[in-house]
Amino acid sequence: MTIKDTPEEWEIRATTTPFVGNKTSVRTDDLVMPGGAVVHRDYQVHPGSVAVLALDEEDRVLVIRQYRHPVRQKLWEIPAGLLDIPGENPLHAAQRELYEEAHVKAEDWRVLTDVYTTPGGCDEAIRIFLARDLSEAEGQRFEVEDEEADMEHARVSVDDLVRGVLAGELHNNCLAVGVLSLVAARHGDGIDALRPAEAPWPARPFES
């Protein structure tokens, strides 16, 4: 038995979009169940995101602390952002986010993992990259606003982040999935076995 997610689409009898926001919307589908019943399923339609686990030469991860209003907390996170342009190359988007949020560039990029954040209620897909060989970006710093204007930056060891995740002290999903995936990769086939940065991403197809 192969343990692998597979594409599948059940019959949709009708679709409405009761809410359209700036970046996301809410869709209601009338979905046919295997027994023939038709049920309503509401979910958030999301453009997709990228996140960057940026690892320096001292085995520290670049993290940022940002206010997240829905959960009323300041969360430690890794740089991340939306795929604002349909079909945008996720690597280019990740490089942009690392520059804008941390004024850092990286020479070595690999795909760490691909995840759906909340597949029971949202179609958001996130690609988490591992970025290494870090250095300060050239040019002027990106001008941030709103929640990002209050961001804090730090570099924290992988071991400390793993402890924080397992202790229930760090809750951001990209940070948690990213650092735990890094540890798993190191204990498995190694970093060199990770997928290349331009690996196909069926959840959010893109052009190189």
Side-chain angles (χ1 to χ4, degrees):
M1 180 179 180
T2 301
I3 304 299
K4 181 179 179 180
D5 297 336
T6 56
E8 184 168 340
E9 187 166 352
W10 293 0
E11 181 186 354
I12 299 171
R13 292 280 174 85
T15 296
T16 58
T17 306
F19 170 80
V20 177
N22 186 31
K23 298 293 185 181
T24 67
S25 60
V26 173
R27 183 176 296 163
T28 299
D29 289 341
D30 291 348
L31 189 64
V32 181
M33 296 288 102
V38 178
V39 300
H40 297 301
R41 289 292 179 262
D42 302 318
Y43 58 99
Q44 183 183 20
V45 178
H46 194 285
S49 306
V50 291
V52 185
L53 190 101
L55 190 67
D56 70 13
E57 67 282 355
E58 297 179 36
D59 208 41
R60 300 176 303 175
V61 175
L62 191 158
V63 292
I64 57 179
R65 189 171 183 239
Q66 186 171 347
Y67 176 66
R68 294 301 188 183
H69 185 67
V71 295
R72 309 301 200 269
Q73 290 194 37
K74 273 193 170 182
L75 300 181
W76 284 104
E77 308 178 348
I78 56 177
L82 298 175
L83 290 168
D84 293 313
I85 304 168
E88 182 178 17
N89 187 305
L91 174 60
H92 300 166
Q95 291 169 333
R96 181 187 68 235
E97 293 299 331
L98 186 60
Y99 161 72
E100 291 181 357
E101 296 193 352
H103 200 67
V104 166
K105 64 179 181 178
E107 299 302 323
D108 186 90
W109 290 83
R110 299 168 191 267
V111 174
L112 194 50
T113 190
D114 298 325
V115 294
Y116 292 112
T117 53
T118 48
C122 180
D123 71 352
E124 181 183 15
I126 294 185
R127 169 157 282 188
I128 303 177
F129 289 91
L130 174 65
R132 298 184 298 172
D133 194 5
L134 309 182
S135 61
E136 190 81 1
E138 296 92 359
Q140 190 174 1
R141 284 186 174 272
F142 182 78
E143 188 173 343
V144 296
E145 59 184 9
D146 301 327
E147 289 93 341
E148 293 183 350
D150 189 48
M151 284 195 310
E152 304 171 47
H153 297 77
R155 296 195 181 196
V156 182
S157 73
V158 172
D159 288 345
D160 284 344
L161 291 176
V162 170
R163 278 193 292 269
V165 170
L166 298 181
E169 298 168 351
L170 298 171
H171 305 89
N172 176 262
N173 59 346
C174 291
L175 186 152
V177 171
V179 296
L180 296 179
S181 295
L182 174 64
V183 172
R186 285 174 167 174
H187 283 80
D189 295 331
I191 300 301
D192 290 340
L194 291 172
R195 288 171 292 161
E198 295 274 11
W201 189 17
R204 292 294 185 273
F206 63 94
E207 295 183 8
S208 299

